[in-house]
Every structure is written in C-alpha cells, then in structure tokens.
Amino acid sequence: MSLTLATPQTDTAAPTLAPREQEALRHIAAGRTYLQTARHMGLSKHTVDAYLRRIRAKLGINSTAEMTRLAISLGL
C-alpha cells in the first residue's frame, strides 16, 4: 500500500511514496544510519540514499530532520 501525502504548497495531486521508500523512511526516522538501513533492508547504501533523495524531491524537503518529523507525524 502506498502512502499519499498532501503538500502544503499545492492542492494538486499529492506525491506517493513507494513501499520501499516508506520502509527506508521508517528506518531513518528510528535513528538508523543509511548503512544500518541498507543492511536491514538487504540493499546497498547507495540504493537507500537514492530512496531518500527521491523522498526529499517528491516532498520538497531538504534534511533528514524534516524526513524524521514527517515520518513521526505520519505514524511510521
């Protein structure tokens, strides 16, 4: 199931996070490093980095702190 988020800047279609993006976001919000997240998900650190860059781009956020705040507010 994908997560749809409304962005405060616009009323158009909200971006959707893929399940693996959600999972990576959950791990980062829990305080894991990119490497720890990659190991847990069975991926390379570079793939986790790509997921998190896509999340930032989709949601218009710039930092890990903002991603963490978002994940917490969404109950991830």
Side-chain angles (χ1 to χ4, degrees):
M1 171 157 82
S2 293
L3 175 68
T4 303
L5 303 168
T7 56
Q9 299 94 341
T10 180
D11 291 329
T12 59
T16 301
L17 296 181
R20 293 294 267 182
E21 291 170 338
Q22 291 178 48
E23 184 178 356
L25 180 58
R26 231 183 348 265
H27 288 290
I28 295 302
R32 292 186 179 94
T33 66
Y34 284 26
L35 184 58
Q36 290 168 332
T37 298
R39 286 180 178 157
H40 185 79
M41 294 177 69
L43 303 170
S44 76
K45 181 178 144 186
H46 300 289
T47 302
V48 170
D49 182 53
Y51 284 157
L52 298 174
R53 277 187 277 122
R54 280 199 309 249
I55 292 168
R56 286 187 187 103
K58 286 180 179 182
L59 303 178
I61 55 180
N62 298 309
S63 71
T64 301
E66 288 177 293
M67 282 195 302
T68 300
R69 184 179 55 174
L70 172 68
I72 291 168
S73 71
L74 294 171
L76 294 178

